[in-house]
Amino acid sequence: MKIVIVGAGEVGTHLSETLSVADHDVTVIERDETLAQTLSETVDVRVVRGNGSSAGILLKAGANKCDFFLAMTSSDETNLVSASLAKALGAGKTFARAHDSTYRDNSLINHQRHFGIDHLVNPEALAAVELAKRIRNPGRVAVEDFGRGQIEVKSIEIQPGAKIANTPLKELRLPGNIRIGLVNREGKTFVANANTTLSVGDQVTVFGHPDSLFETKPLFDPASKGSAKISVTILSGSEIAISLARLLSNPRFKIRIIEKDLKLCQTLAERLPSVTMIHGDGTSLRVLEEEEVGSSDFFVACRKDDEDNIMTCLQAFKLGAKHTLLAINRAD
């Protein structure tokens, strides 16, 4: 397939490497001479120097004939204009990276539809969805999400003593519009219907809102404690942290964010009233000890500095945090 990418930053470079290895015809548009030269020397892609918002540059890169067009620069405005122009020129599917939540807010205007773009993508929000999925389901092997994290699909094994066992589904009243899809029993998989009766040992696929799925865990596994508070400490008030805090807005989560920037702390305290903001350097062992990070169920490091994330997670683990998660920004 022919793919055109605008931007040779971390996201654009990673995409171009991945797609090039898969033998796709990749062209990258980059206005910075140094980035363009580095990409041309290290990755087997065609590089076009220029402004991705220029119709002439887009035509030179072949955007009018490409199957997929990906605008992945650090500028939301450039991405929106670039993807919109590419679509008008004849590109197949267009993707634009939108960092600012303003462009994903459809209450006043649908920016995606207005600019004629097929998909708006926010890597930070996607990373937050993955982190939230791990926090909601520790130890779970199969968990998928849809609707930007608003619907989860997971595989659960019916444990001994489960209330849901030995009762036809039509007689059950599952809360929160939870639905049971597939049932795997003794190596055979079938679609559940109203007359299906679940048995201990069955692997069932359930789907619904993450909060509803969490509340129904005791029905499948009596040993689970659905009402227990989960302590989550987040390093940095980054975009990932903000998205994660919003995804974990259920009262069962006790969330704290450690942020070094005082002004950002004050701003986030207003935006996230249910979150405890802590002003301090989260990379400092003294601060981690004072804030008793070791008692956290989850410690999540999502600063833009990968080394800080790695080292702080190691410190949190040594202090006793049950689970440590971190975001990696550099593909290498």
Side-chain angles (χ1 to χ4, degrees), residues 227-253:
S227 60
K229 277 271 188 179
I230 299 176
S231 171
V232 182
T233 301
I234 305 174
L235 173 67
S236 167
S238 63
E239 183 68 26
I240 295 177
I242 296 171
S243 298
L244 179 59
R246 286 173 173 164
L247 288 170
L248 302 178
S249 60
N250 190 284
R252 74 174 184 269
F253 295 107

Short mmCIF file of all heavy atoms in Angstrom, two decimals, residues 227-253:
data_model
loop_
_atom_site.label_atom_id
_atom_site.label_comp_id
_atom_site.label_asym_id
_atom_site.label_seq_id
_atom_site.Cartn_x
_atom_site.Cartn_y
_atom_site.Cartn_z
N SER A 227 -15.67 -3.88 46.07
CA SER A 227 -15.86 -2.60 46.74
C SER A 227 -14.59 -2.02 47.31
O SER A 227 -14.60 -0.94 47.89
CB SER A 227 -16.89 -2.76 47.86
OG SER A 227 -16.45 -3.71 48.81
N ALA A 228 -13.47 -2.74 47.23
CA ALA A 228 -12.21 -2.26 47.82
C ALA A 228 -11.69 -1.03 47.08
O ALA A 228 -11.74 -0.97 45.85
CB ALA A 228 -11.17 -3.37 47.79
N LYS A 229 -11.19 -0.05 47.82
CA LYS A 229 -10.61 1.15 47.23
C LYS A 229 -9.25 0.81 46.62
O LYS A 229 -8.47 0.06 47.20
CB LYS A 229 -10.42 2.22 48.31
CG LYS A 229 -11.67 3.03 48.61
CD LYS A 229 -11.75 4.23 47.70
CE LYS A 229 -12.89 5.16 48.11
NZ LYS A 229 -12.96 6.35 47.25
N ILE A 230 -8.99 1.37 45.45
CA ILE A 230 -7.73 1.15 44.77
C ILE A 230 -6.95 2.46 44.74
O ILE A 230 -7.43 3.47 44.23
CB ILE A 230 -7.95 0.63 43.33
CG1 ILE A 230 -8.69 -0.71 43.37
CG2 ILE A 230 -6.63 0.49 42.59
CD1 ILE A 230 -9.05 -1.24 42.00
N SER A 231 -5.75 2.43 45.31
CA SER A 231 -4.91 3.62 45.40
C SER A 231 -4.01 3.72 44.17
O SER A 231 -3.26 2.79 43.87
CB SER A 231 -4.07 3.59 46.67
OG SER A 231 -3.12 4.62 46.68
N VAL A 232 -4.09 4.85 43.46
CA VAL A 232 -3.29 5.07 42.26
C VAL A 232 -2.50 6.37 42.41
O VAL A 232 -3.09 7.44 42.61
CB VAL A 232 -4.18 5.16 40.99
CG1 VAL A 232 -3.31 5.34 39.75
CG2 VAL A 232 -5.05 3.92 40.85
N THR A 233 -1.18 6.28 42.32
CA THR A 233 -0.32 7.46 42.37
C THR A 233 0.29 7.66 40.99
O THR A 233 0.87 6.73 40.42
CB THR A 233 0.80 7.30 43.41
OG1 THR A 233 0.21 7.08 44.70
CG2 THR A 233 1.66 8.55 43.47
N ILE A 234 0.15 8.87 40.45
CA ILE A 234 0.62 9.17 39.09
C ILE A 234 1.73 10.20 39.14
O ILE A 234 1.60 11.24 39.80
CB ILE A 234 -0.53 9.69 38.21
CG1 ILE A 234 -1.70 8.69 38.19
CG2 ILE A 234 -0.05 9.94 36.79
CD1 ILE A 234 -2.92 9.20 37.46
N LEU A 235 2.83 9.92 38.47
CA LEU A 235 3.94 10.87 38.38
C LEU A 235 3.73 11.77 37.17
O LEU A 235 3.63 11.27 36.04
CB LEU A 235 5.27 10.12 38.25
CG LEU A 235 6.50 10.98 37.96
CD1 LEU A 235 6.82 11.88 39.15
CD2 LEU A 235 7.71 10.11 37.62
N SER A 236 3.63 13.08 37.39
CA SER A 236 3.52 14.08 36.33
C SER A 236 2.06 14.39 35.99
O SER A 236 1.21 13.50 35.96
CB SER A 236 4.25 13.65 35.06
OG SER A 236 3.89 14.47 33.96
N GLY A 237 1.82 15.66 35.72
CA GLY A 237 0.48 16.08 35.29
C GLY A 237 0.41 16.21 33.79
O GLY A 237 -0.14 17.18 33.26
N SER A 238 0.94 15.24 33.09
CA SER A 238 0.97 15.26 31.63
C SER A 238 -0.41 14.97 31.04
O SER A 238 -1.37 14.67 31.76
CB SER A 238 1.97 14.21 31.12
OG SER A 238 1.54 12.91 31.50
N GLU A 239 -0.50 15.04 29.72
CA GLU A 239 -1.76 14.75 29.03
C GLU A 239 -2.20 13.32 29.30
O GLU A 239 -3.39 13.05 29.46
CB GLU A 239 -1.58 14.98 27.53
CG GLU A 239 -2.84 14.77 26.71
CD GLU A 239 -3.91 15.82 26.97
OE1 GLU A 239 -3.55 16.94 27.36
OE2 GLU A 239 -5.10 15.51 26.76
N ILE A 240 -1.24 12.40 29.37
CA ILE A 240 -1.58 11.00 29.67
C ILE A 240 -2.18 10.91 31.06
O ILE A 240 -3.19 10.22 31.28
CB ILE A 240 -0.34 10.11 29.56
CG1 ILE A 240 0.17 10.06 28.13
CG2 ILE A 240 -0.64 8.68 30.05
CD1 ILE A 240 1.44 9.24 27.96
N ALA A 241 -1.58 11.61 32.02
CA ALA A 241 -2.06 11.58 33.40
C ALA A 241 -3.48 12.13 33.51
O ALA A 241 -4.33 11.58 34.21
CB ALA A 241 -1.12 12.38 34.30
N ILE A 242 -3.75 13.23 32.80
CA ILE A 242 -5.08 13.84 32.83
C ILE A 242 -6.12 12.88 32.26
O ILE A 242 -7.19 12.66 32.84
CB ILE A 242 -5.07 15.16 32.04
CG1 ILE A 242 -4.14 16.17 32.71
CG2 ILE A 242 -6.48 15.73 31.95
CD1 ILE A 242 -3.90 17.42 31.88
N SER A 243 -5.80 12.28 31.11
CA SER A 243 -6.73 11.33 30.49
C SER A 243 -6.95 10.12 31.38
O SER A 243 -8.08 9.63 31.52
CB SER A 243 -6.19 10.88 29.12
OG SER A 243 -6.07 11.97 28.24
N LEU A 244 -5.87 9.64 32.02
CA LEU A 244 -5.97 8.48 32.90
C LEU A 244 -6.85 8.79 34.11
O LEU A 244 -7.70 7.98 34.51
CB LEU A 244 -4.58 8.04 33.35
CG LEU A 244 -4.51 6.85 34.30
CD1 LEU A 244 -5.16 5.62 33.68
CD2 LEU A 244 -3.06 6.56 34.69
N ALA A 245 -6.65 9.96 34.71
CA ALA A 245 -7.45 10.35 35.88
C ALA A 245 -8.93 10.42 35.52
O ALA A 245 -9.79 10.03 36.32
CB ALA A 245 -6.97 11.70 36.40
N ARG A 246 -9.24 10.88 34.33
CA ARG A 246 -10.64 10.96 33.91
C ARG A 246 -11.22 9.58 33.67
O ARG A 246 -12.39 9.32 33.98
CB ARG A 246 -10.75 11.81 32.63
CG ARG A 246 -10.56 13.30 32.90
CD ARG A 246 -10.51 14.10 31.63
NE ARG A 246 -10.49 15.54 31.90
CZ ARG A 246 -10.14 16.46 31.01
NH1 ARG A 246 -9.76 16.08 29.80
NH2 ARG A 246 -10.16 17.74 31.34
N LEU A 247 -10.43 8.68 33.13
CA LEU A 247 -10.91 7.32 32.89
C LEU A 247 -11.13 6.57 34.20
O LEU A 247 -11.96 5.66 34.26
CB LEU A 247 -9.90 6.55 32.02
CG LEU A 247 -9.83 6.96 30.55
CD1 LEU A 247 -8.63 6.31 29.87
CD2 LEU A 247 -11.11 6.60 29.82
N LEU A 248 -10.39 6.96 35.25
CA LEU A 248 -10.52 6.31 36.54
C LEU A 248 -11.30 7.19 37.52
O LEU A 248 -11.01 7.26 38.71
CB LEU A 248 -9.13 6.02 37.12
CG LEU A 248 -8.21 5.13 36.27
CD1 LEU A 248 -6.86 4.97 36.94
CD2 LEU A 248 -8.85 3.77 36.01
N SER A 249 -12.32 7.87 37.02
CA SER A 249 -13.07 8.82 37.83
C SER A 249 -14.04 8.15 38.80
O SER A 249 -14.64 8.81 39.65
CB SER A 249 -13.85 9.78 36.93
OG SER A 249 -14.75 9.07 36.08
N ASN A 250 -14.22 6.83 38.69
CA ASN A 250 -15.11 6.13 39.61
C ASN A 250 -14.61 6.28 41.05
O ASN A 250 -13.40 6.24 41.30
CB ASN A 250 -15.15 4.64 39.23
CG ASN A 250 -16.23 3.89 39.98
OD1 ASN A 250 -16.09 3.58 41.15
ND2 ASN A 250 -17.32 3.59 39.30
N PRO A 251 -15.54 6.46 42.02
CA PRO A 251 -15.14 6.66 43.42
C PRO A 251 -14.29 5.54 44.01
O PRO A 251 -13.65 5.72 45.04
CB PRO A 251 -16.49 6.75 44.15
CG PRO A 251 -17.45 7.23 43.12
CD PRO A 251 -17.00 6.60 41.84
N ARG A 252 -14.28 4.37 43.37
CA ARG A 252 -13.50 3.27 43.95
C ARG A 252 -12.00 3.50 43.78
O ARG A 252 -11.19 2.81 44.41
CB ARG A 252 -13.89 1.94 43.30
CG ARG A 252 -13.39 1.74 41.87
CD ARG A 252 -13.72 0.34 41.39
NE ARG A 252 -13.20 0.05 40.07
CZ ARG A 252 -13.85 0.25 38.94
NH1 ARG A 252 -15.06 0.77 38.98
NH2 ARG A 252 -13.32 -0.04 37.78
N PHE A 253 -11.62 4.48 42.95
CA PHE A 253 -10.21 4.80 42.76
C PHE A 253 -9.82 6.04 43.56
O PHE A 253 -10.49 7.07 43.48
CB PHE A 253 -9.89 5.04 41.28
CG PHE A 253 -10.07 3.82 40.42
CD1 PHE A 253 -11.15 3.72 39.55
CD2 PHE A 253 -9.17 2.77 40.48
CE1 PHE A 253 -11.32 2.60 38.76
CE2 PHE A 253 -9.34 1.65 39.70
CZ PHE A 253 -10.42 1.56 38.83
#
